[in-house]
Amino acid sequence: MVTPLRGPDEIDFDGASRLIERLIEGGVAGLFILGTTGEAPSLSYRLRGEFIRFVCKTVDKRVPVLVGVTDTSVVESIAVAGVAADAGADAVVLSMPYYFPAGQTELVHYIRRLVPQLPLPVMLYNMPSLTKVNFDIESLAQLTDLSQVIGVKDSGGDLAYFERLTALKQQRPDWSVLIGPEHLMATSLGLGGDGGVNGGANIYPKLFVRCYQATRDGDQAAETALQNQIEKLQAIYLVGKYASRHIKGTKSALSILGICDDKLAEPFNHFEPPERARVAEVLESLNTDLIE
């Protein structure tokens, strides 16, 4: 879920409320806040706490809420997890600290030290492009004995890796293994995955829920039609030239649809009119019967 903003350190509460209701009405199985699409590293700890409490109160246990607690500081990760637990969240999502890359031995030791200090179940998050560290399969295998760890979200985009990751469910059949790149969700289910944490579902939740269900049901025709729409939607992430274009494209689309503001956390800017028009063109090209 994106973090709707009105200013550099101010939540767009009206927009956040509309987005939450759209997601739940769209059939999503849960909300993951303060992740990559949620711009967590750019947000103040005050705002993160405020957003956690608002989302948990608004959701009111209708679906699970997972809260990202990844930080460069162990102390701050624990503090944000405490806020999440007090607010009624269901789990936290943890990746490795970014900036200084860690080795695999350090990764394993870090998770083993930190997880017992967290007050909620933990979903591990493999995001090597931004953390500069990959959760090697061998490292994750060493962590399967931690009962508090309930699964892994993988945003690496390597399907061979993902298939090896799902094999760890032989040791931990209770694990949920979820994929990040939304265009790979349907394929990932055939490799033993359990679902997707899809940024595009902010915009059209029913599209992704329907694709998931069609794939699970073995409805090849429906899956193909829905996957085609998902592939078309990917064009919004190619607008602009900076790495922040994925979040810009998502928030621009939400703004065009009248759901929430398109402001980003500093130092990033929202799309200007030419880029916004290109996002609108992509949305207009989609089949409304399949996405809404």
Side-chain angles (χ1 to χ4, degrees), residues 85 96 101-102 114 128 138 165 174 225 262:
M96 284 298 290
L114 181 53
E138 293 74 17
L165 175 58
D174 60 315
D262 64 350

Side-chain angles (χ1 to χ4, degrees), residues 37-60:
T37 304
E39 303 174 83
S42 301
L43 304 175
S44 70
Y45 297 116
R46 180 203 63 78
L47 187 142
R48 293 186 217 182
E50 194 173 24
F51 192 59
I52 291 168
R53 289 186 285 270
F54 176 80
V55 171
C56 289
K57 182 178 180 180
T58 304
V59 171
D60 194 24

Side-chain angles (χ1 to χ4, degrees), residues 4 47 72 74 82 119 121 125 139 181 193 196 214 232 245 277 285:
L47 187 142
T72 52
V74 172
Y125 183 7
S139 298
K232 283 188 173 183
R245 63 189 184 183
S285 73

Side-chain angles (χ1 to χ4, degrees), residues 16 22-23 80 183 205 236 277:
R22 180 179 178 85
L23 290 167
V80 174
H183 64 290
I236 69 168

Side-chain angles (χ1 to χ4, degrees), residues 205-221:
K206 290 181 180 179
L207 168 61
F208 291 89
V209 171
R210 288 168 178 165
C211 186
Y212 168 85
Q213 197 59 55
T215 306
R216 282 288 190 227
D217 293 344
D219 187 340
Q220 187 62 56

